[in-house]
Amino acid sequence: MTVLDTRVPVRFLPAFDNAVLGYHDRSRIIDALHLGLSGAGHRMVLVDGRVTATWTVRSHRLRISPLRPLTAPEQEAVRAEAQDLTAFLDEDIEHIQLDTEK
């Protein structure tokens, strides 16, 4: 496996994260169609280094809304990282909801 074949782990980003806002050319991380999400303060999920979903926490629920269909392995990786996020946030999150229809 080469460096180019190495998958980047899923990451949940806070609103206004520098990874998305810090560069004039953001095409390496976010599609032009979704550029408005960063300026609007959406929290984003990176899958393989690209903005692929948004996330919110309301009423003890972590909701993940994909911007494109996720493969089964991607869904598994997003759920695993979401578990870690719930422990980090310490907001009594009782349910993780991954919207799978897009």
Side-chain angles (χ1 to χ4, degrees):
M1 179 178 288
T2 69
V3 173
L4 295 177
D5 295 330
T6 302
R7 303 295 291 190
V8 177
V10 170
R11 292 294 182 245
F12 282 71
L13 301 179
F16 306 110
D17 191 86
N18 192 47
V20 179
L21 293 177
Y23 302 94
H24 178 70
D25 179 6
R26 300 177 188 142
S27 62
R28 291 187 64 197
I29 195 167
I30 190 168
D31 293 333
L33 178 65
H34 302 119
L35 279 173
L37 294 174
S38 57
H42 289 271
R43 299 169 179 176
M44 292 175 262
V45 181
L46 301 182
V47 175
D48 201 26
R50 304 228 8 113
V51 172
T52 305
T54 60
W55 65 278
T56 58
V57 174
R58 286 192 184 95
S59 303
H60 305 285
R61 178 182 305 259
L62 170 60
R63 181 176 184 183
I64 305 154
S65 302
L67 301 171
R68 63 158 176 83
L70 300 175
T71 66
E74 288 173 336
Q75 289 181 35
E76 183 179 325
V78 167
R79 286 184 188 280
E81 186 67 12
Q83 288 291 337
D84 290 345
L85 177 67
T86 62
F88 174 77
L89 292 176
D90 192 26
E91 293 186 21
D92 296 322
I93 296 171
E94 299 169 354
H95 182 72
I96 295 171
Q97 176 181 337
L98 175 58
D99 299 337
T100 54
E101 295 183 9
K102 268 289 168 195

